[in-house]
């Protein structure tokens, strides 16, 4: 039988997962989806995915594809997945695509959102970062400006990042007021290194609070002669928000 290529579009609350990527001894988003697909298809399924989120990071729009010899319709796949998956994962679209479609390599760009609130709310603790300072949007935009363009983000990734090339392009960064007492940072790029977004935002917020010098981002983007301390913002408040093909 010919293999079919099935594309999944879905969202998830990452609060209780040990990240997206499959791990043998921990619950992960990829692991939960593959577990259902293995049962449904009666074969071993390996997801190819557009992005890998850290532990505690959420997704409003994640995309994966997989190959199968199953004849199950896309409508049935959607029904069976949503029936079997935990309620914090929801598949909103299933499509049969061309054999050569690859959810990782065919993505034109990815967007991440980070939500900050100046108001402490225990019911939002897993979804928003509490930041006690009232944020000046224009000042924060200026701090993020050096990231825009094609840069070497070697100093904005974790040591266990396996990517051989650390040059990435940030297409744009938007910072806007969001609902009451909230600020949303939106970062768009073709691809990102491991924890790059969290380190970028953590560094920028530390500069905003005067815990680092104003030119610290420029230094990290140019000086690769030593290992700099990585400041990771908390995963709560971070969302993989859009993938465009």
């Amino acid at each position: 039988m010919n293999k079919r290529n099935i594309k999944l579009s879905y969202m998830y609350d990452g609060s209780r997962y040990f990240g997206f990527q499959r791990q043998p001894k921990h619950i992960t988003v990829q692991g939960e989806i593959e577990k259902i697909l293995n049962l449904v298809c009666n074969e071993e399924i390996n997801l190819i995915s557009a992005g890998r989120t850290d532990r505690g990071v959420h997704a409003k729009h994640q995309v994966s594809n997989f190959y199968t010899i199953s004849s199950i319709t896309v409508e049935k796949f959607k029904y069976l997945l949503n029936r079997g998956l935990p309620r914090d994962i929801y598949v909103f679209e299933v499509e049969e695509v061309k054999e050569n479609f690859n959810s990782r390599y065919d993505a034109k760009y990815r967007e991440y959102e980070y939500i900050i609130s100046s108001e402490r709310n225990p019911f939002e603790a897993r979804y928003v970062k509490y930041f006690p300072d009232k944020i000046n949007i224009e000042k924060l935009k200026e701090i993020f400006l050096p990231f825009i363009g094609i840069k070497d983000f070697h100093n904005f990734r974790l040591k266990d990042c396996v990517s051989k090339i650390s040059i990435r392009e940030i297409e744009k960064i938007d910072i806007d007021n969001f609902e009451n007492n909230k600020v949303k940072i939106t970062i768009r790029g073709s691809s990102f290194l491991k924890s790059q977004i969290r380190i970028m935002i953590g560094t920028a917020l530390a500069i905003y609070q005067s815990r680092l010098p104003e030119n610290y981002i420029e230094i990290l983007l140019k000086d690769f002669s030593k290992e700099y301390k990585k400041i990771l913002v908390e995963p709560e408040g971070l969302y993989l928000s859009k993938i465009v093909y």
Side-chain angles (χ1 to χ4, degrees):
M1 292 181 67
N2 291 331
K3 283 201 171 187
R4 302 161 65 205
N5 192 4
I6 307 297
K7 175 187 174 188
L8 308 177
S9 299
Y10 53 102
M11 59 181 73
Y12 54 84
D13 177 341
S15 301
R16 71 187 186 97
Y17 295 99
F18 284 76
F20 175 82
Q21 192 173 1
R22 181 197 319 119
Q23 297 183 49
K25 296 182 180 180
H26 295 292
I27 183 171
T28 68
V29 177
Q30 180 181 2
E32 290 299 292
I33 295 173
E34 288 180 344
K35 185 167 64 177
I36 301 298
L37 288 173
N38 289 344
L39 290 171
V40 167
C41 299
N42 196 28
E43 57 183 304
E44 187 173 338
I45 299 296
N46 292 298
L47 289 181
I48 301 163
S49 301
R52 298 172 178 176
T53 52
D54 291 347
R55 180 178 181 178
V57 176
H58 316 292
K60 296 179 180 179
H61 184 199
Q62 172 68 287
V63 177
S64 300
N65 68 288
F66 66 93
Y67 293 93
T68 180
I69 59 172
S70 171
S71 60
I72 295 172
T73 65
V74 291
E75 294 82 5
K76 189 76 171 185
F77 266 126
K78 181 180 177 182
Y79 169 77
L80 292 171
L81 279 164
N82 286 325
R83 184 179 178 184
L85 285 168
R87 288 188 296 174
D88 49 11
I89 304 173
Y90 175 67
V91 178
F92 56 84
E93 188 175 44
V94 180
E95 306 168 79
E96 186 163 353
V97 291
K98 293 180 180 179
E99 185 181 353
N100 63 351
F101 172 79
N102 184 296
S103 59
R104 180 182 177 189
Y105 294 117
D106 290 348
K108 292 179 180 177
Y109 69 80
R110 297 156 175 84
E111 273 189 7
Y112 281 85
E113 293 176 357
Y114 197 75
I115 310 297
I116 297 170
S117 177
S118 58
E119 188 175 279
R120 196 160 198 155
N121 184 339
F123 299 108
E124 295 181 335
R126 295 180 177 181
Y127 311 106
V128 173
K129 173 182 169 55
Y130 169 65
F131 192 74
D133 302 337
K134 185 72 174 177
I135 288 183
N136 180 319
I137 297 285
E138 295 308 314
K139 179 182 175 183
L140 195 57
K141 281 182 179 179
E142 195 173 322
I143 292 171
F144 272 98
L145 204 56
F147 287 127
I148 304 293
I150 299 172
K151 306 290 173 75
D152 191 334
F153 286 92
H154 173 77
N155 287 322
F156 293 89
R157 62 173 173 174
L158 295 182
K159 281 185 178 180
D160 59 348
C161 177
V162 296
S163 180
K164 294 179 180 179
I165 300 173
S166 55
I167 296 172
R168 294 292 187 272
E169 181 179 10
I170 302 297
E171 293 181 21
K172 69 171 186 173
I173 299 176
D174 292 328
I175 304 174
D176 305 287
N177 288 310
F178 176 67
E179 294 180 353
N180 295 326
N181 303 306
K182 292 186 178 73
V183 168
K184 178 167 66 176
I185 302 167
T186 305
I187 300 176
R188 176 192 289 187
S190 55
S191 64
F192 298 94
L193 302 165
K194 185 173 183 180
S195 298
Q196 178 186 336
I197 296 285
R198 290 178 61 196
I199 297 171
M200 287 171 60
I201 296 173
T203 304
L205 292 178
I207 293 170
Y208 185 90
Q209 293 179 308
S210 301
R211 293 189 287 119
L212 290 173
E214 290 183 3
N215 65 338
Y216 196 70
I217 289 171
E218 289 96 328
I219 293 171
L220 265 61
L221 289 171
K222 293 176 182 177
D223 183 9
F224 312 114
S225 63
K226 63 178 182 178
E227 188 71 30
Y228 285 92
K229 181 182 178 182
K230 308 293 192 301
I231 301 175
L232 279 79
V233 76
E234 297 88 340
E236 299 85 3
L238 183 58
Y239 299 79
L240 174 56
S241 58
K242 184 187 292 185
I243 298 166
V244 172
Y245 292 92

